Amino acid sequence: MTRDEGTYKAQSEHAAKTETRHEGTYRAQAERAAGKGAPEHRHNRQRTKMVAPPNDYLVPERDALLTPVLECRHLGIDFGGLKAVEDLNLMVGKTEIAGLIGPNGAGKTTVFNLLTKVYQPTRGTILLDGQDTAGMDTARVSREGIARTFQNIRLFDSLTVEDNVKIGLHNQVECGMWSGIFRAPRYWLSEQEFHRRALELLDVFNMADNADDIAGSLPYGAQRRLEIVRALATNPKLLLLDEPAAGMNPVETEELMDNIVKIRDDFQIAVLLIEHDMDLVMGICEGIVVLNFGKVIAKGTPEEIQANPQVVEAYLGKQE
Amino acid sequence: MDKIRNMSRESRSNFITYGMVIIAYAIMQALASMHAISSSMTGLLVPITAYICMAISLNLVVGVSGELSLGHAGFMSVGAFTGVVAASALAGAIESTMLRLLLSIVIAGVAAAVAGILIGIPVMRLRGDYLAIVTLAFGEIIKNLLNNLYVGLDARGLHFSMTDTASLGMDGGKVLVNGPQGAVGFPMISTFTAGFLLVMFTLIVVQNLINSRSGRAIKAVRDNRIAAESVGIDTTKYRLMAFVVSAALAGMAGALYAQNYTAIVPKKFDFNTSILILVFVVLGGMGNIRGGIISAALLTILPEKLRFIGDYRMLMYAIVLILVMLFSNNAQVRMQIEALRHRISHRVDDQLDAQAAKGGDAR
C-alpha cells in the first residue's frame, strides 16, 4: 500500500466514523438530496468544506513518504474490566528510533505484547509495513518482521551464545529435519551459513569471543546484549527493545546507545524502545510517546516531551 | 589430529558415545564367541540393546524436548506387534531372516510414527503435568486396544478383528495375534548384531537431530517457549517432531525386542515398563544420551545379577536406584566429578598440543 492510499483510507474511515456520529444530520441531508424534501433545494445544496482529519502521527521527515513500518490504529486491550491500553494511535517511521515511556504500570510492556501478539488486541488494528497483522500468532509476526527483547531476560540459558543466535537465525537459513538427521549436503551448507552469520551478528556487539560460552552464565549486561543480537538475527523490520539498559552501568549504557544507533544505520530498520533511563531516551530517540494508565498523554520530540507539563505531572505528580 | 581439534564440543562427545557403544559390542561379541558369558546373560543381550534404544529415544522427549512422557512403552508395543505381524506376513516372500527383520523393524517404525502423530496432535496442546497424565492414559489405551486385537494370516492375506478369532473369517491359515494372549509362535529372528546396529542407528538419528537446525529449535522451546515463539519458531511443530521421532524409534526397538522371543503379550508393555524406561533416562541424566545408555544396560543386568539373593533382589534394586539418585544429586560428589572431567579434558588438549608441536618439528 502506498503512503497516499494509506492516508486516503484513514480519511475515509474517519469520514465513516463521523457519519455514524452525526447520523441524524446526514440522513436528513440524504433525504433532501434524494428529492424527499423540496425539489428546488437540489440545485443550491450547501457546499461542504472538506478538510484533512486531525491525526497526530509523527514520523521523521526522511521517512514521511515511505510506508511506516508500524501503524497502530485505536489499539486497545481489556483485562476483565480494566482497560490496560486504550485507543493507542502510533506510527513508527521506516528508520526511526522511537521511545515509549511512562510511569510504572502505564501499559508499555502490554503494548509490546500486543504488537508481538502475545495478547490479541480487543480493539483496533496493527499494520506492520502496511500489512494487517490480525489473526497472526507470535511466531508469524516474527517472520513478518517484528523482533523483540524482554524486560526480564529470556535467553536459551542452557545453550551456547552462538546457538542462541543460530536459533534467532532459524527462519533465515533453511534445512529440513531429514537433511539434519541424515547429514545431507544441505545440512553442511546450512551449518556453515549459520556459523558465519551468527559470528557476523555477534561482532556487532563484540561478542564473537564469547561464542562458546553458555548463555546463562554471562554477566547481566552481556545477556541483554545477546538478546538484542538474537532479535537482530531474525532479520526484523522493527526491533522492540524492552528496557535494554536495565541493570547496565553508565559506561555500558553509553555503549548501548551508540550500538542502537549503529544497528539502525547499518540494518536500516526501525527501533521502538521502552526505557526508564532518561539519558538514553532523550539521547537517541527521535520521536517519543508517553503512556499513562494505558492512554497516550503526549507525543513529540525529546525537547517537546521534556517541556510538556502533563508528562512532568505523570512522573512527578501535580505541583502544589 | 587437526580434524579432532577443530571438531565442535558436541561432535567430539558424539564420537565418544559411538566409540563406547562399538567397543562394548566388540567385547560382548568376543566374550560370547569364547562362551565366556552365562546363558542368562546371552539371553539378555538383545533386550539390553532394545532398552538402550528405548532410553535414547525417550531422552529425545524428556531430556531434549523437556516434556515428561509416561506412555513410551505404548509405542514400543505398537512396534512390537506390527513388527511380528509384518515379519510373519513377509515370511513367504523373503527368504533371508536378516532382511525380514530389517523390513519388519522399518514397518514397525512407520506404524509407531503414525501412532505418535495421532496421539501427539491432542497431547501437544498440553504442557507439563497435564501432558504427563495424558501420555500415561494413551499408553494404557494402546495396551487395551492390543488386548482386543486379533490378527490372522491365511492364503488371502491378513485379517483384522477387534472381537474374537472366529470373526476373522479365515480359511485355514494361522492366528498371529490372539487378543490378551498376544502373539505366539513366531520365529526368533532378532540377533545381538541387529540390536547393536539398531542402537547405532537410533544414536545417529537422535544425535544428528539434536545438533541440527530442528534440534536447536526443539531445545529452544524447552529452554524458553516464549522466547522461541518470539524468534519465529513454531513451537507445536518442533515439540511434535521430537515426540514423533521418539515414537518411531521406540517402535523399532519394540519390533527388535518382540522378535527375540517366540511369544509376546500386550501386558508386557504396561505402565511399569514406561516407568522403567523413564528411570533409565532420569538415572543417566536427562538430556545425557551416554548416561542413558549406561544406565539402561546396567539396570537391565542388575536384577539378573541380584538373582542370588532371591526375594530380596527387587529391594536391592530399589536401594541401588535410591543411592545412585542421592549421589548424583550430591553437590560435593558433583563438584568432584566436574573437577575430574576438567582435568581429563585438559590433559587431552595438552596431548594434542604436544603432538601438534611434534608434527611441526618433524616438518
Side-chain angles (χ1 to χ4, degrees), chain B residues 276-289:
Chain B
L276 182 69
I277 299 156
L278 187 64
V279 168
F280 298 156
V281 173
V282 174
L283 205 64
M286 288 196 225
N288 184 344
I289 306 277

Side-chain angles (χ1 to χ4, degrees), chain B residues 120-163:
Chain B
I121 288 169
V123 163
M124 286 302 139
R125 291 167 169 269
L126 306 168
R127 275 180 244 291
D129 299 347
Y130 302 101
L131 186 143
I133 292 165
V134 173
T135 50
L136 188 160
F138 271 113
E140 292 300 299
I141 290 172
I142 290 176
K143 189 187 82 186
N144 285 319
L145 281 178
L146 289 174
N147 256 334
N148 290 299
L149 178 71
Y150 297 84
V151 182
L153 178 72
D154 63 11
R156 285 179 297 152
L158 287 169
H159 299 264
F160 297 91
S161 164
M162 292 299 287
T163 46

Side-chain angles (χ1 to χ4, degrees), chain B residues 62-81:
Chain B
V62 174
V64 182
S65 175
E67 316 278 10
L68 190 56
S69 168
L70 298 179
H72 211 49
F75 298 118
M76 192 182 187
S77 65
V78 170
F81 284 90

Side-chain angles (χ1 to χ4, degrees), chain A residues 142 158 170-171 173 181 183 187, chain B residues 208 211 213 223 231-232 238:
Chain A
S142 156
S158 69
H170 186 80
N171 288 316
V173 184
I181 288 178
R183 297 279 140 116
Y187 166 82
Chain B
N208 283 357
N211 295 311
R213 172 177 174 270
D223 271 15
V231 295
Y238 287 100

Side-chain angles (χ1 to χ4, degrees), chain A residues 40-309:
Chain A
E40 61 268 26
H41 286 298
R42 221 184 301 167
H43 302 291
N44 49 1
R45 67 175 167 87
Q46 280 184 341
R47 304 250 166 216
T48 315
K49 188 185 173 202
M50 302 293 285
V51 295
N55 89 40
D56 58 351
Y57 289 150
L58 283 174
V59 289
E61 195 176 3
R62 60 173 188 279
D63 296 332
L65 296 175
L66 302 168
T67 312
V69 74
L70 179 75
E71 189 179 345
C72 302
R73 287 195 205 130
H74 311 295
L75 193 62
I77 184 168
D78 300 347
F79 294 121
L82 176 78
K83 291 187 185 327
V85 175
E86 209 185 337
D87 202 31
L88 176 81
N89 288 296
L90 176 72
M91 188 180 275
V92 179
K94 195 138 226 160
T95 61
E96 181 181 349
I97 297 180
L100 182 60
I101 63 172
N104 288 330
K108 305 181 294 293
T109 300
T110 308
V111 171
F112 272 21
N113 284 338
L114 285 172
L115 296 179
T116 54
K117 297 285 171 172
V118 174
Y119 303 140
Q120 293 293 335
T122 317
R123 293 171 296 277
T125 316
I126 302 165
L127 297 180
L128 171 63
D129 205 16
Q131 190 192 354
D132 193 344
T133 64
M136 291 184 185
D137 62 5
T138 308
R140 176 77 200 283
V141 168
S142 156
R143 273 173 253 145
E144 297 295 332
I146 297 185
R148 76 173 290 185
T149 65
F150 296 87
Q151 193 173 357
N152 46 343
I153 301 175
R154 289 180 180 275
L155 286 172
F156 307 121
D157 284 332
S158 69
L159 306 180
T160 64
V161 168
E162 187 179 336
D163 277 352
N164 268 270
V165 184
K166 282 179 178 173
I167 292 165
L169 286 164
H170 186 80
N171 288 316
Q172 304 305 310
V173 184
E174 257 317 306
C175 175
M177 182 186 82
W178 297 110
S179 313
I181 288 178
F182 296 110
R183 297 279 140 116
R186 167 93 238 134
Y187 166 82
W188 299 105
L189 286 174
S190 73
E191 283 303 301
Q192 270 178 8
E193 176 88 358
F194 269 121
H195 181 67
R196 187 181 60 77
R197 286 174 70 170
L199 288 187
E200 232 172 64
L201 283 158
L202 283 169
D203 253 344
V204 174
F205 279 90
N206 294 320
M207 288 180 77
D209 291 339
N210 299 94
D212 290 331
D213 295 351
I214 298 297
S217 70
L218 290 178
Y220 198 74
Q223 293 199 5
R224 287 234 169 262
R225 287 195 291 273
L226 177 57
E227 245 200 334
I228 299 177
V229 175
R230 186 184 67 191
L232 271 180
T234 64
N235 191 23
K237 295 171 184 156
L238 172 64
L239 181 60
L240 306 177
L241 303 177
D242 201 342
E243 300 202 16
M248 285 191 179
N249 62 39
V251 182
E252 285 179 316
T253 307
E254 200 60 43
E255 241 174 77
L256 177 71
M257 287 165 68
D258 293 342
N259 275 319
I260 293 175
V261 176
K262 192 174 132 200
I263 287 167
R264 192 269 313 270
D265 294 342
D266 291 357
F267 295 85
Q268 285 294 304
I269 58 173
V271 179
L272 176 61
L273 56 90
I274 294 175
E275 187 50 70
H276 285 299
D277 185 327
M278 285 303 143
D279 289 339
L280 185 145
V281 175
M282 299 303 165
I284 60 170
C285 289
E286 296 163 299
I288 296 176
V289 174
V290 188
L291 220 56
N292 197 16
F293 296 117
K295 284 182 189 156
V296 176
I297 57 168
K299 281 185 189 177
T301 62
E303 292 73 28
E304 286 165 5
I305 295 298
Q306 275 167 312
N308 189 314

